[in-house]
Amino acid sequence: MAAGIDDISVYIPKLYLDAGDYALMRGVDATKLRDGLGVNQMAMVDSNQDPACLAANACLRIMQSNKLSPDDIGRLYVSTESSFDESKAMNSYVIGMLEQVYGQGSFEHCGGVETKFACVSGSYALYDNANWIRAGEAEGMNALVVVSDIAKYDKGSSGEMTQGAGAIAMLLNDEPRLLAFDPKVTATSIKDEYDFYRPFGKETPIVHGQYSNLLYLIQVRNALEIYKKKAAASGIISVGEGRSVLDYIDHLNMHLPYAKMGKKALAYLVRHEWRSLPRWKGVIDKVGMPEPVPKDPRGTIESILGDAEFMESDREFQKRFTRTDEFQEVYESKLASSLVASSMVGNLYTASLYLGFRSTIEFEFQKGADLEGQRFGFGSYGSGSSAMIFSGVIQPGYVQLARDMNLEAEIGPRKRLSADQYEMIHGNQLSPEESILSSSKEFVLVDVNTTPESRGQRRYVFNE
Ligand code: COA
């Protein structure tokens, strides 16, 4: 039985921090954000929004645009790393909000959990729900997988320039209009690591930024090795002599903590894949230097990052490599469109990979590309750490959906935050009733209970 993504909806909060304004506030070079990281604007939540509101708003959009009723939904999963309760799952809050619109008890039949594994958990949720459909358990119903996060870092930290917020809802079923998952290829890699984590009670993560960058690359490469074996064994891709598995993937979507990380990851994977192929010699000639090797090639991530000479020459090699026509061709044809939305919105943690997927469809379609039958690869990464590689094929029904995609219109008119407003939002100085924007047709947070017997209970309303 087929399983895949039938439709996708996006909810991005309307406040944003401009990269130039941020650079002025913190005294950093705006070019570092715009060119070095690919960050132009970072979406910010208002004081009456939390990750559950974002998720519920994304769900409502997909249900309304597809004229779905709660009876059409058999499972509702929310994947997040912005959880605010150690026990009560975020999907229960989302169901509570949706029932304000669809009626008390209307989702009673709907199973689901909140899933957690930093930015990769949405991919595990998609996989599990696709298998629920493949197993024939869905009985004609759909699954909703919602990825929702607020990427917030400490003031003044290097992560602060890679923030963002938003939610994406994906409708899964056995006759997907958008993308059918390739069966028996999903590949994972996992290792106990502390590259990025958020201990109980801490609002922002503890981050070892450069370590997490390199670990992301290594983990994704490990998962790609497993994907290659599974794709060959299942007969989905048989790699010809002198070719790479990447030659058979038309578009690649990578986890995007910031847009430029996608390009970094693509370059890393392409280097890894091409190194043993006949084409590499011609590429090296163009690069004009041999590929650097660390002093201890089997060393730890710390020893590689500490090898200053290697890091310096590898940066130079990468710069020259990414300018070659060979890499540029791969970058433009397989990845560039997926980065557009990320640079407008910033980091969405679990949702960033799927915003990239949405971005590819919208902006490739706008370019006039025919995506039907094309294979999309997904490179998912979550700190802590695990990577997942999987793929799928674009279905004929995608045209009908792509025609209506317009991210800018879907976000709606945005408000650029002043430096003072940003500091107040970041410092949680505003209560829900002091929100900067007044919204309509959206779920918002009304209050969080502070009494000893009901501490933490949240109230939401749907603003007419
Ligand atoms: N003009 C143009 N580019 C500039 C620049 C300037 N003035 N200053 C720096 N850059 C470039 C750097 O060369 C680098 O590009 P490269 O990686 O292609 O060499 C890029 O901007 C980032 O600079 P860097 O010095 O590496 O940034 P940083 O260490 O201050 O912060 C992160 C970057 C990603 C480590 C930081 O934002 C972070 O910790 N983020 C959160 C964790 C994260 O996202 N991890 C990713 C994996 S999940």
Side-chain angles (χ1 to χ4, degrees):
M1 189 182 282
I5 303 173
D6 185 63
D7 196 5
I8 182 166
S9 73
V10 181
Y11 178 85
I12 304 293
K14 293 182 180 65
L15 298 178
Y16 75 93
L17 179 63
D18 181 77
D21 295 342
Y22 173 85
L24 273 179
M25 280 163 65
R26 296 284 181 263
V28 294
D29 187 350
T31 324
K32 174 171 175 178
L33 279 86
R34 295 195 183 112
D35 296 348
L37 297 166
V39 174
N40 289 327
Q41 288 112 20
M42 294 178 261
M44 297 280 140
V45 280
D46 210 332
S47 62
N48 61 353
Q49 293 182 307
D50 67 10
C53 284
L54 308 183
N57 286 323
C59 277
L60 188 64
R61 283 189 176 180
I62 209 162
M63 290 196 59
Q64 289 182 334
S65 63
N66 288 283
K67 299 189 172 53
L68 295 170
S69 82
D71 288 342
D72 297 315
I73 311 296
R75 281 182 144 202
L76 197 161
Y77 273 47
V78 178
S79 303
T80 186
E81 57 178 300
S82 315
S83 198
F84 42 72
D85 194 285
E86 312 297 358
S87 172
K88 184 171 157 61
M90 201 177 287
N91 56 316
S92 64
Y93 297 84
V94 172
I95 280 173
M97 281 182 255
L98 292 174
E99 287 191 347
Q100 290 186 29
V101 173
Y102 290 99
Q104 197 71 36
S106 54
F107 278 87
E108 211 171 50
H109 61 281
C110 186
V113 291
E114 173 190 314
T115 71
K116 174 173 71 184
F117 201 136
C119 305
V120 74
S121 67
S123 303
Y124 279 93
L126 274 186
Y127 182 54
D128 291 355
N129 280 285
N131 287 333
W132 174 71
I133 292 164
R134 286 176 179 134
E137 296 269 342
E139 294 174 336
M141 286 191 287
N142 301 265
L144 267 179
V145 172
V146 199
V147 276
S148 179
D149 268 309
I150 298 170
K152 178 171 180 176
Y153 292 87
D154 285 338
K155 201 169 147 177
S157 68
S158 63
E160 196 189 10
M161 53 194 125
T162 63
Q163 300 183 107
I168 291 197
M170 287 172 279
L171 187 71
L172 305 192
N173 59 35
D174 59 1
E175 286 183 337
R177 286 168 295 169
L178 214 44
L179 176 119
F181 293 125
D182 287 329
K184 299 191 174 177
V185 293
T186 298
T188 57
S189 170
I190 195 161
K191 188 163 185 269
D192 179 17
E193 288 277 6
Y194 275 103
D195 55 327
F196 171 119
Y197 60 104
R198 189 165 69 85
F200 281 159
K202 192 169 183 317
E203 191 195 18
T204 49
I206 296 173
V207 188
H208 305 291
Q210 297 301 345
Y211 190 99
S212 75
N213 273 349
L214 184 52
L215 185 59
Y216 166 138
L217 300 175
I218 292 169
Q219 287 284 47
V220 164
R221 193 186 77 188
N222 290 344
L224 184 67
E225 285 304 317
I226 299 165
Y227 174 88
K228 275 154 67 172
K229 290 192 186 112
K230 292 184 94 168
S234 63
I236 277 172
I237 298 175
S238 89
V239 178
E241 191 63 28
R243 306 198 67 192
S244 151
V245 71
L246 298 177
D247 299 341
Y248 300 83
I249 292 175
D250 303 298
H251 295 275
L252 199 57
N253 298 287
M254 300 302 302
H255 168 51
L256 301 174
Y258 48 94
K260 274 288 163 70
M261 189 65 204
K263 191 173 185 181
K264 255 185 200 292
L266 179 70
Y268 187 85
L269 294 179
V270 169
R271 280 170 64 178
H272 174 63
E273 279 293 305
W274 288 7
R275 201 171 280 137
S276 56
L277 302 182
R279 69 184 81 161
W280 192 235
K281 186 176 172 326
V283 172
I284 288 289
D285 288 347
K286 287 191 184 166
V287 171
M289 65 185 277
E291 194 177 19
V293 180
K295 281 194 191 88
D296 180 4
R298 294 187 174 278
T300 60
I301 292 180
E302 283 97 340
S303 76
I304 291 172
L305 292 174
D307 185 345
E309 200 181 313
F310 165 74
M311 291 301 290
E312 186 56 39
S313 54
D314 195 63
R315 196 168 290 123
E316 179 60 24
F317 182 91
Q318 178 96 334
K319 201 159 74 184
R320 296 188 194 187
F321 172 65
T322 52
R323 285 185 192 144
T324 60
D325 292 344
E326 286 82 351
F327 179 78
Q328 276 299 318
E329 199 276 316
V330 174
Y331 171 70
E332 288 299 335
S333 63
K334 294 188 198 292
L335 187 85
S337 292
S338 75
L339 310 184
V340 180
S342 171
S343 66
M344 292 161 62
V345 169
N347 191 358
L348 305 187
Y349 287 164
T350 49
S352 76
L353 172 64
Y354 300 100
L355 183 70
F357 168 54
R358 227 317 285 261
S359 184
T360 305
I361 294 175
E362 178 173 337
F363 296 107
E364 283 295 307
F365 187 76
Q366 271 181 23
K367 283 200 298 199
D370 180 7
L371 298 178
E372 186 180 331
Q374 298 217 327
R375 173 155 286 119
F376 275 44
F378 294 80
S380 193
Y381 175 70
S383 291
S385 72
S386 178
M388 181 186 280
I389 302 269
F390 58 100
S391 57
V393 174
I394 297 291
Q395 300 299 295
Y398 93 93
V399 176
Q400 176 199 341
L401 299 163
R403 235 184 246 134
D404 293 336
M405 286 181 180
N406 182 337
L407 186 64
E408 229 172 280
E410 284 162 57
I411 300 175
R414 300 173 86 185
K415 178 169 172 51
R416 181 174 176 165
L417 289 171
S418 68
D420 286 348
Q421 285 171 326
Y422 168 68
E423 297 289 12
M424 283 195 293
I425 288 282
H426 192 277
N428 301 325
Q429 288 163 22
L430 300 177
S431 64
E433 67 266 25
E434 293 169 320
S435 66
I436 293 173
L437 296 175
S438 53
S439 51
S440 69
K441 305 271 175 232
E442 286 186 7
F443 295 107
V444 291
L445 177 69
V446 180
D447 57 38
V448 184
N449 196 308
T450 51
T451 62
E453 59 287 0
S454 304
R455 188 179 145 210
Q457 286 192 14
R458 290 175 182 240
R459 268 194 320 129
Y460 300 93
V461 288
F462 182 67
N463 270 345
E464 287 297 343

